[in-house]
Amino acid sequence: MTTTLQQEIERWEADLERIAENSASDNWFLEERRFAEAQHTITAFRGHILPLVAHQQPHDAIVSREIEHLVDHLEDLRNDLYRTVHPPTSHQEIAETMAALRALSRVALRVERSLEDVR
C-alpha cells in the first residue's frame, strides 16, 4: 500500500530527476541547477513532506527535527547562491544536504512502514 508520505517523497524525487534532465538538456550553469534543486526541495519538504513526518508517532520527532534542521541549512545555502560572490563550497554543500535529506526520507518511510506493520 502506498502511503501519502511515500507518494510525496516519490513526487519530490521525480521532480529532482526532471530538474537534472532539464539542466543537462538546456545547459544550465551549476548554480542554476543547485538553486532549482534547493528551492524545490525546500518547498516540497516545508509544504508536504515535513508535515507528514511530524504527524507520525512522537518517537519519530528525532527524524522530523533532523529533517527540519537540514531544510533550514539548505535554505541558508540557497540564499548564499543569491549573492554574486558565494562560498566556493555552496554547490557541494547543497548536494550533500540533498543526499542527507534523501537518506532521512528513507528512514521516515521505514518508520512509517514499521508502524503500519504493528497495527
Side-chain angles (χ1 to χ4, degrees):
M1 181 172 121
T2 303
T3 65
T4 304
L5 177 60
Q6 184 176 357
Q7 290 172 346
E8 290 299 331
I9 290 171
E10 288 173 356
R11 182 177 297 125
W12 166 65
E13 289 180 338
D15 288 345
L16 289 178
E17 287 177 25
R18 277 192 290 283
I19 289 170
E21 290 169 4
N22 288 340
S23 71
S25 66
D26 295 343
N27 297 315
W28 292 7
F29 290 109
L30 183 57
E31 290 89 354
E32 294 172 307
R33 178 178 173 182
R34 293 295 185 236
F35 182 84
E37 290 171 339
Q39 183 63 37
H40 179 69
T41 298
I42 292 164
T43 302
F45 272 82
R46 293 227 191 270
H48 304 283
I49 297 170
L50 194 54
L52 292 170
V53 173
H55 286 99
Q56 290 180 357
Q57 299 298 317
H59 58 274
D60 300 328
I62 294 169
V63 174
S64 179
R65 279 194 303 270
E66 286 302 312
I67 289 174
E68 189 170 2
H69 173 73
L70 287 170
V71 172
D72 290 344
H73 181 61
L74 186 62
E75 198 164 19
D76 291 340
L77 293 169
R78 183 218 43 205
N79 291 341
D80 281 347
L81 289 181
Y82 276 133
R83 296 185 183 102
T84 303
V85 178
H86 50 271
T89 59
S90 293
H91 309 115
Q92 182 64 30
E93 286 186 59
I94 287 174
E96 290 169 357
T97 304
M98 299 285 290
L101 282 168
R102 278 191 169 105
L104 279 176
S105 296
R106 288 186 202 109
V107 169
L109 282 175
R110 285 187 193 125
V111 169
E112 183 181 57
R113 286 183 192 129
S114 296
L115 292 172
E116 289 296 318
D117 291 345
V118 170
R119 293 178 191 166

